[in-house]
Protein backbone atom coordinates (compact mmCIF):
# COMPACT_ATOMS: atom_id res chain seq x y z
CA UNK A 1 0.00 0.00 0.00
CA UNK A 2 1.18 3.48 -0.82
CA UNK A 3 1.59 6.00 2.01
CA UNK A 4 -1.39 8.24 2.71
CA UNK A 5 -1.55 11.85 3.83
CA UNK A 6 -4.00 13.04 6.48
CA UNK A 7 -3.95 16.74 7.33
CA UNK A 8 -0.24 17.55 7.65
CA UNK A 9 1.09 14.02 8.31
CA UNK A 10 2.07 11.01 6.22
CA UNK A 11 1.20 7.47 7.26
CA UNK A 12 2.58 4.14 6.01
CA UNK A 13 0.58 0.92 5.66
CA UNK A 14 0.87 -1.22 8.79
CA UNK A 15 -1.92 -3.85 9.05
CA UNK A 16 -3.85 -4.94 5.97
CA UNK A 17 -7.60 -5.44 5.90
CA UNK A 18 -7.13 -9.22 5.49
CA UNK A 19 -4.77 -9.39 8.47
CA UNK A 20 -7.22 -7.45 10.63
CA UNK A 21 -10.23 -9.55 9.59
CA UNK A 22 -8.38 -12.85 10.11
CA UNK A 23 -7.42 -11.83 13.63
CA UNK A 24 -10.97 -10.67 14.43
CA UNK A 25 -12.32 -14.08 13.37
CA UNK A 26 -9.81 -15.71 15.74
CA UNK A 27 -10.85 -13.45 18.63
CA UNK A 28 -14.55 -14.13 17.94
CA UNK A 29 -13.92 -17.89 18.01
CA UNK A 30 -12.12 -17.53 21.35
CA UNK A 31 -14.98 -15.47 22.79
CA UNK A 32 -17.50 -18.02 21.46
CA UNK A 33 -15.65 -20.75 23.37
CA UNK A 34 -15.33 -18.68 26.56
CA UNK A 35 -19.00 -17.63 26.56
CA UNK A 36 -20.70 -20.79 25.32
CA UNK A 37 -24.14 -20.97 26.93
CA UNK A 38 -23.95 -17.36 28.17
CA UNK A 39 -25.26 -14.10 26.72
CA UNK A 40 -22.58 -11.44 27.14
CA UNK A 41 -23.10 -7.71 26.74
CA UNK A 42 -20.48 -6.01 24.59
CA UNK A 43 -19.86 -2.34 25.33
CA UNK A 44 -18.07 -0.63 22.46
CA UNK A 45 -16.21 2.57 23.25
CA UNK A 46 -16.92 5.23 20.65
CA UNK A 47 -15.78 6.62 18.39
CA UNK A 48 -12.76 4.48 17.64
CA UNK A 49 -14.09 0.99 18.40
CA UNK A 50 -17.16 1.14 16.16
CA UNK A 51 -15.59 -0.79 13.25
CA UNK A 52 -13.88 -3.39 15.45
CA UNK A 53 -17.04 -3.86 17.55
CA UNK A 54 -19.19 -4.33 14.42
CA UNK A 55 -16.84 -6.84 12.79
CA UNK A 56 -16.26 -8.73 16.03
CA UNK A 57 -20.01 -8.90 16.67
CA UNK A 58 -20.70 -10.14 13.11
CA UNK A 59 -18.29 -13.04 13.67
CA UNK A 60 -19.75 -14.23 16.98
CA UNK A 61 -22.07 -17.21 17.18
CA UNK A 62 -23.01 -16.91 20.89
CA UNK A 63 -26.14 -14.99 21.79
CA UNK A 64 -24.94 -11.51 22.65
CA UNK A 65 -26.03 -7.92 23.00
CA UNK A 66 -24.14 -4.78 22.08
CA UNK A 67 -24.25 -1.24 23.38
CA UNK A 68 -21.95 1.76 23.07
CA UNK A 69 -20.55 4.49 25.28
CA UNK A 70 -18.59 7.53 24.17
CA UNK A 71 -15.37 8.24 26.03
CA UNK A 72 -12.57 10.46 24.80
CA UNK A 73 -9.02 11.29 25.88
CA UNK A 74 -7.26 12.26 22.63
CA UNK A 75 -6.63 15.52 20.83
CA UNK A 76 -4.58 15.32 17.64
CA UNK A 77 -1.89 12.66 18.11
CA UNK A 78 -1.58 12.99 21.92
CA UNK A 79 -3.61 11.85 24.89
CA UNK A 80 -5.00 14.83 26.81
CA UNK A 81 -4.75 12.99 30.12
CA UNK A 82 -8.45 13.67 30.72
CA UNK A 83 -11.24 11.18 30.09
CA UNK A 84 -14.50 12.72 28.97
CA UNK A 85 -17.78 10.77 29.05
CA UNK A 86 -19.95 12.14 26.26
CA UNK A 87 -22.69 9.49 25.98
CA UNK A 88 -23.59 7.31 28.94
CA UNK A 89 -24.55 3.66 29.23
CA UNK A 90 -28.22 2.85 29.69
CA UNK A 91 -28.05 -0.95 30.26
CA UNK A 92 -28.44 -2.65 33.62
CA UNK A 93 -25.17 -4.52 34.25
CA UNK A 94 -26.02 -6.31 37.50
CA UNK A 95 -25.17 -9.99 37.09
CA UNK A 96 -24.27 -9.59 33.39
CA UNK A 97 -21.14 -10.86 31.66
CA UNK A 98 -19.66 -7.69 30.17
CA UNK A 99 -16.96 -7.35 27.52
CA UNK A 100 -15.62 -3.85 26.91
CA UNK A 101 -14.55 -3.38 23.28
CA UNK A 102 -11.74 -0.89 22.64
CA UNK A 103 -9.96 0.08 19.45
CA UNK A 104 -6.62 0.67 21.16
CA UNK A 105 -5.11 0.59 24.61
CA UNK A 106 -2.03 2.75 24.90
CA UNK A 107 -1.58 4.48 28.31
CA UNK A 108 -4.67 2.67 29.60
CA UNK A 109 -6.02 5.80 31.32
CA UNK A 110 -9.43 5.65 29.63
CA UNK A 111 -10.07 2.09 30.80
CA UNK A 112 -8.50 2.69 34.23
CA UNK A 113 -11.08 5.43 34.81
CA UNK A 114 -14.02 3.67 33.14
CA UNK A 115 -13.70 0.13 34.59
CA UNK A 116 -14.37 1.13 38.23
CA UNK A 117 -17.60 2.80 37.02
CA UNK A 118 -18.61 -0.49 35.41
CA UNK A 119 -17.58 -2.54 38.47
CA UNK A 120 -19.83 -0.32 40.59
CA UNK A 121 -22.77 -1.72 38.57
CA UNK A 122 -21.93 -5.27 39.77
CA UNK A 123 -21.46 -7.25 36.55
CA UNK A 124 -20.98 -11.02 36.93
CA UNK A 125 -17.74 -10.68 34.95
CA UNK A 126 -15.88 -7.89 33.19
CA UNK A 127 -13.38 -8.49 30.40
CA UNK A 128 -11.63 -6.33 27.84
CA UNK A 129 -11.28 -6.92 24.10
CA UNK A 130 -8.99 -4.53 22.24
CA UNK A 131 -7.91 -4.59 18.64
CA UNK A 132 -4.58 -2.91 19.38
CA UNK A 133 -2.37 -2.68 22.46
CA UNK A 134 0.78 -0.58 22.91
CA UNK A 135 2.56 -2.38 25.78
CA UNK A 136 5.41 0.18 25.82
CA UNK A 137 2.96 3.03 26.46
CA UNK A 138 0.73 1.32 29.05
CA UNK A 139 0.94 3.06 32.43
CA UNK A 140 -2.00 1.44 34.24
CA UNK A 141 -2.38 -2.11 35.53
CA UNK A 142 -5.02 -3.60 33.22
CA UNK A 143 -5.87 -7.16 32.29
CA UNK A 144 -6.53 -7.29 28.55
CA UNK A 145 -8.38 -10.54 27.91
CA UNK A 146 -8.63 -10.44 24.10
CA UNK A 147 -5.89 -8.59 22.19
CA UNK A 148 -5.82 -8.40 18.41
CA UNK A 149 -2.29 -7.05 17.97
CA UNK A 150 0.47 -5.77 20.23
CA UNK A 151 2.03 -2.84 18.39
CA UNK A 152 4.94 -0.41 18.89
CA UNK A 153 4.32 2.93 20.54
CA UNK A 154 3.67 4.75 17.26
CA UNK A 155 0.61 6.77 16.28
CA UNK A 156 -1.82 4.78 14.11
CA UNK A 157 -4.91 5.62 12.05
CA UNK A 158 -7.53 3.76 10.07
CA UNK A 159 -10.12 1.11 10.82
CA UNK A 160 -11.90 3.38 13.28
CA UNK A 161 -8.86 5.28 14.54
CA UNK A 162 -8.52 8.91 13.51
CA UNK A 163 -6.10 11.77 13.30
CA UNK A 164 -7.99 14.95 14.21
CA UNK A 165 -11.27 13.51 12.96
CA UNK A 166 -10.21 11.89 9.69
CA UNK A 167 -8.98 8.46 8.66
CA UNK A 168 -11.54 6.35 10.56
CA UNK A 169 -13.03 5.08 7.28
CA UNK A 170 -9.81 3.42 6.07
CA UNK A 171 -10.02 -0.38 5.86
CA UNK A 172 -6.38 -0.82 6.82
CA UNK A 173 -4.34 0.50 9.73
CA UNK A 174 -1.54 2.93 8.99
CA UNK A 175 1.23 4.19 11.28
CA UNK A 176 2.86 7.59 11.33
CA UNK A 177 5.68 7.62 8.82
CA UNK A 178 9.26 7.83 10.08
CA UNK A 179 9.66 10.62 7.53
CA UNK A 180 6.64 12.60 8.79
Amino acid sequence: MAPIKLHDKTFDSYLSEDTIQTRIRELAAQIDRDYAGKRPLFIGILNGAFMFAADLFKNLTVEAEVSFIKLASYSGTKSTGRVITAIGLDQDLIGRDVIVVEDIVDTGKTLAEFLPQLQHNQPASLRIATLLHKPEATQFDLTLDYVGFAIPNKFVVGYGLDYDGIGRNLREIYQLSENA
Side-chain angles (χ1 to χ4, degrees):
M1 290 294 208
I4 60 166
K5 189 165 179 87
L6 300 175
H7 294 301
D8 59 337
K9 304 215 179 300
T10 302
F11 296 85
D12 297 319
S13 180
Y14 182 65
L15 293 171
S16 71
E17 180 179 11
D18 286 344
T19 300
I20 295 165
Q21 294 304 320
T22 297
R23 184 65 182 128
I24 289 171
R25 285 190 295 275
E26 293 168 355
L27 291 173
Q30 185 181 353
I31 291 168
D32 280 339
R33 285 189 300 275
D34 291 351
Y35 287 88
K38 297 181 179 183
R39 197 174 93 209
L41 170 64
F42 289 79
I43 300 174
I45 299 182
L46 297 173
N47 285 336
F50 77 100
M51 288 177 87
F52 175 46
D55 286 344
L56 181 63
F57 207 72
K58 286 188 289 190
N59 282 283
L60 292 171
T61 60
V62 295
E63 282 188 12
E65 295 178 52
V66 66
S67 187
F68 291 90
I69 187 164
K70 186 164 184 178
L71 305 174
S73 66
Y74 258 79
S75 179
T77 61
K78 300 266 189 271
S79 177
T80 64
R82 295 178 298 120
V83 176
I84 303 159
T85 304
I87 299 172
L89 186 65
D90 58 1
Q91 257 79 10
D92 182 8
L93 303 183
I94 296 173
R96 297 291 309 268
D97 292 301
V98 175
I99 301 172
V100 175
V101 181
E102 261 286 31
D103 55 348
I104 188 167
V105 174
D106 43 33
T107 66
K109 182 171 182 58
T110 301
L111 286 175
E113 290 194 16
F114 181 53
L115 292 177
Q117 295 173 39
L118 290 180
Q119 288 287 11
H120 181 75
N121 290 297
Q122 303 171 13
S125 67
L126 182 58
R127 291 189 174 174
I128 301 167
T130 185
L131 180 63
L132 304 173
H133 177 221
K134 293 181 180 177
E136 297 168 33
T138 304
Q139 300 171 6
F140 293 84
D141 185 22
L142 298 169
T143 299
L144 304 177
D145 304 281
Y146 307 100
V147 177
F149 303 94
I151 65 170
N153 190 16
K154 293 185 180 179
F155 189 74
V156 290
V157 298
Y159 195 72
L161 297 122
D162 74 307
Y163 169 45
D164 271 351
I166 63 173
R168 291 190 196 277
N169 61 314
L170 300 169
R171 294 173 180 262
E172 300 86 22
I173 293 177
Y174 294 80
Q175 68 179 337
L176 188 61
S177 176
E178 297 291 331
N179 305 322

